[in-house]
Amino acid sequence: MADNNVATNETDRLIASNKVEGTAVYDRDGNKLGSVYNFMVDKRSGKVEYAVMSFGGFLGMGEDYHPLPWDQLTYDTDQGGYVVNLSREQLEGGPHYSAGNEPTFDRAYGQQVYGYYGSSYNY
Amino acid sequence: MADNNVATNETDRLIASNKVEGTAVYDRDGNKLGSVYNFMVDKRSGKVEYAVMSFGGFLGMGEDYHPLPWDQLTYDTDQGGYVVNLSREQLEGGPHYSAGNEPTFDRAYGQQVYGYYGSSYNY
């Protein structure tokens, strides 16, 4: 996919799934915190429940996955990435898992994740 | 991404974006129609507005992109792919575009796409 092919990937309202994946995530001060690994979609409703950030690790080894409520991410066209209103410490302290140790993503987990970030869980 | 790593990619309710992309799409009789290219997400609401099927072409050349209402796709664990209740002819006749000729994905386009497939457009 050509990243400069904006029309395929992004409109004023919509963004393409394959553009979101791999996009950098910054804090408010422009420090890179990690990147978007993927996002988890409700099969029936088509609603994105989590954007999963990959965080830490090196070249894909030892990475941790941090699910965030979708509404925590704001796309910043200047930075060409997402900005979260969170510090590295807040992210580090949030619910996360390593590859092979994934949670079940049930509603109790959803309440835990959304609760941690102060978002209301309506899924 | 390891496709056999089910827990990362899929739960009873949720499916990972990077698992959806590239997944085959079949008709009711099990004939492969194409595959999911990506999907378009509303940046604010996090709602998937279209699953975009790639259709026709060969090795990525001459492909057409057919946006479908998300609710047209049903995941079939037996087939390991999506099933649509549509014939090849219905798909061929639906709204589509080629690379470099993307629509603006505005609301008029949404009504056209959803109308074609008999889904109601509530975005």
Side-chain angles (χ1 to χ4, degrees):
Chain A
M1 186 191 71
D3 263 326
N4 55 356
N5 193 348
V6 174
T8 316
N9 301 322
E10 193 172 1
T11 69
D12 286 347
R13 281 194 306 126
L14 305 179
I15 193 160
S17 54
N18 53 351
K19 179 166 186 182
V20 179
E21 296 156 8
T23 300
V25 179
Y26 300 94
D27 67 14
R28 285 160 294 183
D29 301 323
N31 303 306
K32 185 176 172 181
L33 297 170
S35 57
V36 179
Y37 173 64
N38 65 11
F39 46 97
M40 302 295 289
V41 184
D42 186 297
K43 288 183 210 173
R44 284 179 187 277
S45 70
K47 223 168 168 216
V48 177
E49 192 160 320
Y50 307 101
V52 181
M53 264 187 74
S54 59
F55 186 48
F58 182 66
L59 299 177
M61 294 172 65
E63 277 188 334
D64 272 333
Y65 300 105
H66 291 245
L68 302 180
W70 172 263
D71 64 6
Q72 291 287 326
L73 297 172
T74 305
Y75 193 75
D76 182 331
T77 48
D78 292 340
Q79 303 235 50
Y82 288 94
V83 174
V84 289
N85 196 18
L86 298 165
S87 67
R88 179 176 294 274
E89 291 68 33
Q90 284 176 297
L91 265 180
E92 281 176 346
H96 60 275
Y97 50 89
S98 54
N101 293 302
E102 292 78 10
T104 52
F105 288 110
D106 58 10
R107 291 199 160 78
Y109 188 74
Q111 283 160 358
Q112 185 192 337
V113 171
Y114 275 63
Y116 181 81
Y117 293 106
S119 297
S120 60
Y121 185 71
N122 302 313
Y123 295 89
Chain B
M1 186 191 72
D3 263 323
N4 56 356
N5 192 348
V6 174
T8 316
N9 301 320
E10 194 173 359
T11 69
D12 286 347
R13 281 192 307 125
L14 304 179
I15 193 160
S17 54
N18 54 351
K19 180 169 184 181
V20 179
E21 296 158 9
T23 301
V25 179
Y26 300 96
D27 67 14
R28 284 158 295 182
D29 301 324
N31 303 306
K32 185 176 171 181
L33 297 172
S35 57
V36 179
Y37 174 64
N38 66 10
F39 46 99
M40 301 296 288
V41 184
D42 187 298
K43 289 182 210 173
R44 284 178 188 277
S45 70
K47 234 184 152 201
V48 177
E49 191 161 320
Y50 307 100
V52 181
M53 265 187 73
S54 59
F55 185 48
F58 181 66
L59 299 177
M61 294 173 65
E63 276 187 334
D64 271 332
Y65 300 104
H66 291 245
L68 301 180
W70 172 263
D71 64 5
Q72 292 287 324
L73 296 173
T74 305
Y75 193 73
D76 181 330
T77 48
D78 291 341
Q79 303 235 50
Y82 288 94
V83 174
V84 289
N85 196 18
L86 299 165
S87 67
R88 179 176 294 273
E89 291 68 32
Q90 284 175 294
L91 265 181
E92 281 176 345
H96 60 277
Y97 50 89
S98 55
N101 294 303
E102 292 79 10
T104 51
F105 288 111
D106 57 11
R107 291 198 159 79
Y109 188 74
Q111 283 158 0
Q112 185 191 339
V113 171
Y114 275 64
Y116 181 82
Y117 293 106
S119 297
S120 60
Y121 185 71
N122 303 313
Y123 294 90

